[in-house]
Amino acid sequence: FDLHLSGITIFTEAATGNYIFTPIIAALAGAEKVYAITKDSKHGKKETVKEKTLEVAKAFDVEDKIKIVYEKKPEYVQKCDIITNSGFVRPIDKKMIDSMKSTAVIPLMFETWEFREEDLDLEYCRRTEIPLLGTNEDHDKLKLFYSAGFLVSKLLFECGLEVYKNKFLIISSGKAGQSIQDFFENNMIDYVRITCSSNEHAPQSNVFYYKDFDFGNVEMDIDAVILFELLHDVPIISNNGMINKDNRDNFTDKLFIHICGRVNSEFIEDCGINIYPNDLADFGYMTRSGDYLGPAITVELITAGLKVGEIMSRLRKEGKPYQEVIEIATKNPLVTGFSEV
C-alpha cells in the first residue's frame, strides 16, 4: 500500500490478537509518534495489552515511537494528525473532536456503509470540517469480501460438516452475500440465498427476496443456515423474524452459523435452536470476522486504513481546505466517501 507516515502523529488503539499490530504498523511506516489507547475488556487487562504491545514493538525496534495510554486526554489527541476510528478510540464524540487540531483527519478503517452512529459523530465532523473517509475493502489489493466463503467454511468445518456436497440456506445481502454465493457456485455447493436487498433477487434463480420467501415451507433438505446479514437491520430469528414462532419447527433440527445479523438470544434458547458460535454479536458487529481466518486479512486492512488516513493528512498538510480534501482523496480507488453509501 506504499504507506509512509513520516512527519505524521497517530492516535489509535492498542489491542489484543492480530489488532496488536495496529500501532506497530504505524510506527514501522515512519510515524513521528503513535499514541495507542487501551482499556480493560473481555479480551484482556489493559496492563497486559500494554506489556504485550511494547514487547512486539521492541522486537521491531519501534518501542520508542509508541506511547500506550489509558485515557483520551486532550493533550494527546491535539498532537495527532490522524485519529483512527478503532475499537478503543471510540466513541469519537463532540468532546474528542473539539480536542483535535484543525488539520486532523479520521480514517474510518472500514467501508462507509458499515458506519455506526454510536461510534462517531459524523455530523459534528462535517460541521467542524474534520475529514472522515472509509476504506474500499473491495480494492484490488484487499478483496476482503472474497474471504467470506472461507470464513463460513471454517465455521462449518468446526461443526463437523464437510461443506463439500452439503446444502445451505444463506441469509445475506450485498457484497458478502454475493461473495458467499460465488464461492459456493465455484465449488459446486448447493444453496438457496435470501437477500434483504430488493434489487438483488432475480426470476428463475435461487436468490430470493426475504419478503417473498416462505420460511414455513423450506423444501430444501438443508444441512445448515448461514446468517451473514451485515447490510440490513432486519430481524432474522425472533418472534417476528424470518424464522419465528410460527415456522420455527422447520428449523429446530438445523444448524445455524451466525456471523452477523439481528437475532434474539432468548428466542433461540427457548426454541432449542442450535447456533454456532454462541457468543452472538449485536447487529452491526460480527460474531466472527475475517480476523478469525488469520493475521493477513487484519494486517492488510489496518495498513489500508492507515493509508486512507495518510492520503487525507498529506492533503491537509499541503493546506487543502476540507471539501477539496474530500474531493481529491475519494478519487483514489482505496478511498470511499459517504456519498457512495
Side-chain angles (χ1 to χ4, degrees), residues 8 81-82 105 309-318:
I8 293 175
D81 303 291
I82 296 174
V105 301
E310 181 203 338
I311 291 166
M312 291 190 288
S313 185
R314 296 293 181 202
L315 292 169
R316 266 310 209 191
K317 285 179 175 291
E318 290 173 10

Side-chain angles (χ1 to χ4, degrees), residues 214-228:
D214 185 3
F215 287 90
N217 185 29
V218 178
E219 297 177 359
M220 193 175 186
D221 183 21
I222 57 173
D223 295 287
V225 183
I226 297 161
L227 310 183
F228 205 132

Side-chain angles (χ1 to χ4, degrees), residues 153 156-157 161-168 183-184 189:
S153 297
L156 290 166
F157 289 146
L161 289 179
E162 301 92 335
V163 180
Y164 174 69
K165 290 192 175 180
N166 287 150
K167 298 177 181 180
F168 301 102
F183 181 89
F184 280 10
I189 300 167

Side-chain angles (χ1 to χ4, degrees), residues 107 122 138 180 205 294 324 336:
L122 174 60
D138 207 31
I180 298 169
S205 76
E324 195 171 343
T336 58

